[in-house]
Amino acid sequence: MKAQGFSCISSHAQPYAASVNVLRVAPNVPLSSPRRHAQQSFREPALRSPGAVSRPNSISVAAYGPQLAGAPNRRLRAAAVCAASPSANASTEHYDFVIVGGGPAGLLAAKALLTVSLTASVKVLEGVPGFPPQGAGVLVEINGWRALHAVDDALADRLRARGYLFDATRLFNEQGEPMGAGPLTGGGWKHEESIKAHGHTSVMVQWGDIRSTLFESLPQGVVSFNSRVKNVTPGEPGKQPALLEVTQADVPDGPVRTVSAGMVVAADGYFSRTKRQVWGGAGLPESQEKRIWRAVVTMRDPAEAPELLRQADSGPCLWLGPGMPPVRSATVYPLGHNRFVWTCIAANSYLEKAGEPTTLKLGEDQGIHQASGATGAKAKSRCLAVFGDYPPALVELLRRTDPDTVTEHGYFASDVAALTGAPDWVRGNVVLVGDAAHTAPPDGQGLNMALEDVAVLGDCVRRFGATSQALEAYAAERLPRVRDVWLRPGGAPLPPNRVAAIRAASFTPLGAAPHSGKSRPPLQQQAAAA
């Protein structure tokens, strides 16, 4: 059970593969694979050169046509970039699908579109030069696992093998005194029962592990790092391509190259630059006047961890301030014997008390982190200024955190009641997914719903091609789900339809190969088999 602002997690951390064997499938990439070890820093110059791109279809915009199914298989060819001069007549890089944003939603979208359109060219444009070891943990729930299995069974199994299970939650007040069970604990999960009833259970996976696993699943060169999308002009599916102006992120005033796309999937987060440009800033999420800090901490020696966090049966610890949701809170949970992730949330008033600024300076080229907070040493310092009076176990962990792993951002949420579907998420051949489409409170469903978006979009493209019909169908299917999972009557701790909606999630497998059936509830699996 969850309350707004929390991922309700539970206790002793066990590697998923070692604790629930009923779902275990040997991953295609062994844990000892050299490639996996290369991913640990999440900076991959040896695997993906920031300048490398998969081979584009070099055409003039006038020659663009809707011949997606007949396009040559470009995605596995050697990297190549169109030799473009500054002249207006220079050829344009063209891809059947361009995805803006290389987070989990964007990476899975690439995987899904390559699955349903085997001959399509797909390009992911990511602004950062590589993936830094940032982010906390994410609870992948029943609906998230079904969406992942719809895209690729083996990928879902590899990701699950990197997760952990918990059984209870330890609650403390801000003075460190134990608290009794409350609306944030929910009694924990009975994993075997959940698997039997629903085919899946909730598994905690570190954000960086999610991103690196999805990244590893893509062909070489699909992701272009250090690629800032300066402007997006929508087109019309099958008639006119969308045009994107792209620069090197580290040289924002440098040369601009033009990329055209049959379809643009915007997965660029809370303050989606694509949404601000294409929708003119309409429908952006609203500030909840809070800040969120996240980080991952790796201890060289487990004995260095605060005693509270290394006790034999220690699991997630929550420190809660007053109110519901609390005006200030912190969560720490283990991932393995020497790695911890933490999340701290506080009202802006605590920053003001600490003499820290709260004004948001939103620039046209700023994402959620830059727009509403800080990263690195500055973020760590601001977090300690707000939480320095918390119990020693938390403060010690914060102090031991490598600043490079710390992120800060504002707490924003969309007005779910105001969402209407296609007008909010589709413009011509540009479509929004994930946080760009529906920014939610940090309640554990943000990533899961982004995974759902991708599974549904992939299925719509599979059924209708890269057409307006596909995008309209996507929006029509997603709106009721978004409302069921997030729409709350005034004062209600949870949306009334949420639990049932999560358990009822069902997605069509995207690939042509034999499928496990794990993208559907067990009863649907049995009916399909019959």
Side-chain angles (χ1 to χ4, degrees):
M1 186 174 182
K2 302 178 184 66
Q4 185 184 14
F6 288 89
S7 298
C8 279
I9 47 187
S10 43
S11 172
H12 185 64
Q14 308 173 63
Y16 182 92
S19 54
V20 179
N21 292 322
V22 66
L23 283 182
R24 184 178 181 184
V25 175
N28 289 347
V29 180
L31 290 175
S32 59
S33 163
R35 191 174 185 200
R36 287 191 86 102
H37 289 293
Q39 295 286 333
Q40 293 308 306
S41 68
F42 308 125
R43 298 184 186 275
E44 319 222 26
L47 296 178
R48 301 284 197 275
S49 169
V53 294
S54 57
R55 181 180 177 89
N57 181 13
S58 302
I59 61 171
S60 66
V61 173
Y64 171 78
Q67 316 233 338
L68 178 63
N73 188 346
R74 293 179 291 273
R75 67 186 176 93
L76 294 180
R77 294 181 186 175
V81 180
C82 295
S85 70
S87 72
N89 295 323
S91 62
T92 298
E93 292 176 36
H94 177 76
Y95 299 93
D96 298 308
F97 299 97
V98 168
I99 298 159
V100 182
L107 297 173
L108 188 66
K111 182 70 173 179
L113 293 170
L114 287 169
T115 299
V116 300
S117 305
L118 295 178
T119 60
S121 55
V122 177
K123 173 58 60 182
V124 178
L125 300 175
E126 169 56 46
V128 299
F131 290 146
Q134 295 176 335
V138 181
L139 194 68
V140 183
E141 300 196 54
I142 291 167
N143 54 329
W145 288 121
R146 288 183 185 154
L148 284 162
H149 276 282
V151 176
D152 189 290
D153 273 326
L155 173 60
D157 290 331
R158 287 198 299 272
L159 186 57
R160 187 186 290 106
R162 302 184 76 167
Y164 293 84
L165 300 176
F166 302 116
D167 298 321
T169 301
R170 305 172 70 188
L171 297 181
F172 303 91
N173 62 21
E174 291 187 302
Q175 291 71 47
E177 300 166 339
M179 299 172 62
L184 297 182
T185 53
W189 291 283
K190 299 177 180 177
H191 296 294
E192 296 288 355
E193 291 183 14
S194 178
I195 292 168
K196 183 177 180 180
H198 309 297
H200 299 283
T201 191
S202 301
V203 182
M204 185 65 67
V205 190
Q206 204 271 329
W207 178 266
D209 291 345
I210 295 172
R211 192 166 51 182
S212 63
T213 302
L214 295 175
F215 178 83
E216 289 172 352
S217 74
L218 297 173
Q220 181 86 12
V222 167
V223 180
S224 283
F225 291 106
N226 199 31
S227 297
R228 169 184 174 262
V229 178
K230 188 174 182 180
N231 190 51
V232 179
T233 302
E236 289 296 328
K239 298 177 181 178
Q240 181 70 22
L243 295 178
L244 301 90
E245 296 177 10
V246 183
T247 64
Q248 286 185 220
D250 57 355
V251 189
D253 296 325
V256 176
R257 78 180 194 268
T258 301
V259 176
S260 70
M263 181 181 292
V264 175
V265 180
D268 47 349
Y270 284 25
F271 276 87
S272 165
R273 186 180 302 117
T274 307
K275 186 168 187 175
R276 281 181 280 152
Q277 293 170 345
V278 176
W279 275 259
L284 287 175
E286 301 172 355
S287 172
Q288 307 301 301
E289 300 302 325
K290 290 184 176 181
R291 284 294 197 282
I292 304 174
W293 292 266
R294 294 185 171 101
V296 56
V297 185
T298 301
M299 302 285 186
R300 294 180 181 177
D301 181 354
E304 296 177 359
E307 183 178 357
L308 177 67
L309 303 179
R310 56 183 167 84
Q311 291 174 358
D313 293 323
S314 177
C317 295
L318 274 68
W319 291 269
L320 307 178
M324 184 53 65
V327 294
R328 187 170 62 155
S329 63
T331 306
V332 178
Y333 44 94
L335 293 178
H337 68 288
N338 69 334
R339 189 165 60 150
F340 300 87
V341 291
W342 57 259
T343 300
C344 294
I345 303 175
N348 285 349
S349 59
Y350 285 93
L351 277 168
E352 292 171 352
K353 283 182 186 177
E356 293 285 342
T358 61
T359 303
L360 307 185
K361 297 179 180 179
L362 303 181
E364 64 89 18
D365 187 39
Q366 291 178 318
I368 180 65
H369 295 149
Q370 296 86 354
S372 58
T375 57
K378 183 179 179 182
K380 178 179 175 178
S381 173
R382 283 163 60 87
C383 185
L384 280 167
V386 171
F387 288 89
D389 62 341
Y390 258 47
L394 176 69
V395 176
E396 182 182 348
L397 190 69
L398 298 185
R399 293 189 186 283
R400 286 180 173 270
T401 302
D402 180 349
D404 288 343
T405 72
V406 182
T407 61
E408 174 192 341
H409 61 82
Y411 182 149
F412 292 83
S414 300
D415 182 357
V416 175
L419 293 175
T420 59
D424 301 295
W425 301 332
V426 178
R427 287 288 171 91
N429 56 355
V430 177
V431 60
L432 305 178
V433 299
D435 283 337
H438 40 69
T439 301
D443 61 1
Q445 271 296 309
L447 175 73
N448 291 282
M449 291 294 280
L451 301 179
E452 284 198 20
D453 287 350
V454 171
V456 172
L457 179 62
D459 182 51
C460 291
V461 171
R462 181 188 63 83
R463 286 184 287 153
F464 304 115
T467 63
S468 296
Q469 186 180 8
L471 300 184
E472 294 287 339
Y474 159 78
E477 290 183 35
R478 294 306 297 144
L479 184 61
R481 294 284 302 167
V482 169
R483 288 175 172 169
D484 281 345
V485 170
W486 280 313
L487 191 60
R488 296 186 306 137
L494 286 174
N497 299 332
R498 182 188 187 108
V499 173
I502 290 172
R503 292 175 176 174
S506 181
F507 308 100
T508 302
L510 302 186
H515 194 264
S516 68
K518 293 178 183 177
S519 65
R520 301 183 185 278
L523 290 178
Q524 289 188 19
Q525 295 179 34
Q526 296 168 15

